[in-house]
Amino acid sequence: RAKQEGRGRLRFYEARMGVQVRERRQIEHDLRHAVERGELRVVYQPQTRIDSGEAVGFEALLRWHHPERGTVPPNLFIPIAEETGSILAIGEWVLRETCREAASWDKPLRIAVNVSAVQLHAPGFAELVHEILFATGLSPARLELEITETALIRDLPRALTTLRRIKALGVRIAMDDFGTGYSSLSNLRAFPFDKIKIDASFTRSVDSSEQAATIVRTVLGLGRGLGLPVLAEGVETSAELAFLGAEACQEAQGYLIGRPGPIGGFQHLTAEPDAAEDAA
Ligand code: C2E
Ligand code: MG
Ligand code: MG
Ligand code: MG
C-alpha cells in the first residue's frame, strides 16, 4: 500500500514537472519572438552625483510585456534567454534601442546598459558595439556597459580581450553587483573597469547593520585606492543617502532618487531647460 502511495506521489510529481517543463518551453519559444513582436521595452533609471544631486546618466532596464503573462521580470526571463541563446538578439536590440534613444537627448548624459556573460563571450561583440555606436551616432564616451563579476569568469582571457577592445572604442565599463559575485579582487585590478557598482543588498542595510556599513566603507576605500568612482545601487532612504555622502561615495541610484520608468517621464533631465520650455 505504501508502495502504491509512493508511486502515486511520484506520478503526481512527474505530472507537475511536465507542466513546469511545458511552461518553460513555452517561455523559451515566446522569448524567441519577443523582439520581432515588439514585446520588449526599455525603462530608464536615473543615476546621480551624491554631492551635487545632478543626474549623470541612466541605467537601461529591460521589460518584457507578454501578451498573456503580463510583465515578466528580467530576473525570470534573462537566465532563460541566456540558456537558449535568445539573449544575443535581445541584447543587441537593447543596445541599439538605448544608444539611439540617448543620441537624441539634448544633454550628453551617460547610458548604462547591462551585458550578459553570453553576449560578452560571443564572437564579434566588440565589433557589434562599434557598429551600433556608428549607426546611432552616439558618442562612445556616453556609453557604459555593466558587467558582473560572474560574467567574467567563464573565460577570463577572452573576456579581457573583448573588454580591452571595447575600452579602445572609448566606451566605459562598470562592474555591476560588486560584492555578490564569485571572483577575486585581482579581477578589479586586471580588468579595465571605470566604475564599481555596490550591490543593493549592502546599501539596503547600511543604517541597520554595522557589517553592511563596514563592507560599504571598504568598497569605497578600494575604489579610492584604485582610482575608481563608486556608485551605490538600491538607495531607498535619505538615511542611506546621507551615510553614502558622508563616506564620500560618488554616485547613487535607487527608488529614493527615481524608479525605473519610460524615458518620457525624465524629460526634465535629458532636455536643456530652454528646449523643455519650448516643448511645453
Ligand atoms: P541590475 O543591473 O543590478 O539592476 C538593478 C535592479 O535593481 C533593477 O531591477 C532595478 O529596477 C532594481 N532597483 C533599482 N533601484 C532599486 C531600489 O531602490 N530598491 C530595489 N529594491 N530595487 C531597485 P530589474 O529591472 O528587475 O532588473 C534585474 C536585473 O536584471 C538587473 O540587475 C540585471 O542584472 C538584469 N537586467 C535588466 N535589464 C537587462 C538587460 O537589458 N540585459 C541584461 N543582460 N540583463 C538585464
Ligand atoms: Mg545593472
Ligand atoms: Mg546591479
Ligand atoms: Mg542585480
Side-chain angles (χ1 to χ4, degrees), residues 59 61 114 146 148 175-178 180 197-200 231 233-234 253:
E59 178 172 3
L61 294 161
N114 293 285
E146 296 195 359
T148 61
M175 174 168 273
D176 202 357
D177 300 350
F178 186 70
T180 61
K197 295 189 79 179
I198 304 186
D199 191 68
L231 178 146
E233 298 192 76
Q253 179 182 347

Side-chain angles (χ1 to χ4, degrees), residues 8-23:
R9 220 175 288 140
L10 183 63
R11 220 165 281 138
F12 173 72
Y13 179 69
E14 280 172 348
R16 220 181 40 186
M17 282 290 287
V19 171
Q20 282 174 1
V21 168
R22 235 176 300 135
E23 164 140 335

Side-chain angles (χ1 to χ4, degrees), residues 41-43 45 59-63 73-79 82 87 90-91 94-95 98 113-117 119 146 148 176-177 197 199-200 204 233-237 240 253-260:
R41 292 276 179 282
V42 177
V43 290
Q45 185 177 35
E59 178 172 3
L61 294 161
L62 188 57
R63 296 292 178 263
N75 287 334
L76 195 151
F77 74 81
I78 287 187
E82 286 178 328
I87 193 68
I90 292 172
V94 172
L95 204 53
T98 51
V113 182
N114 293 285
V115 170
S116 122
Q119 291 174 276
E146 296 195 359
T148 61
D176 202 357
D177 300 350
K197 295 189 79 179
D199 191 68
R204 198 168 299 142
E233 298 192 76
V235 179
E236 292 186 353
T237 69
E240 289 160 6
Q253 179 182 347
Y255 294 169
L256 177 72
I257 295 146
R259 284 182 182 258

Side-chain angles (χ1 to χ4, degrees), residues 102-119:
S104 76
W105 301 339
D106 295 336
K107 289 190 184 159
L109 299 175
R110 283 199 300 260
I111 182 69
V113 182
N114 293 285
V115 170
S116 122
V118 177
Q119 291 174 276

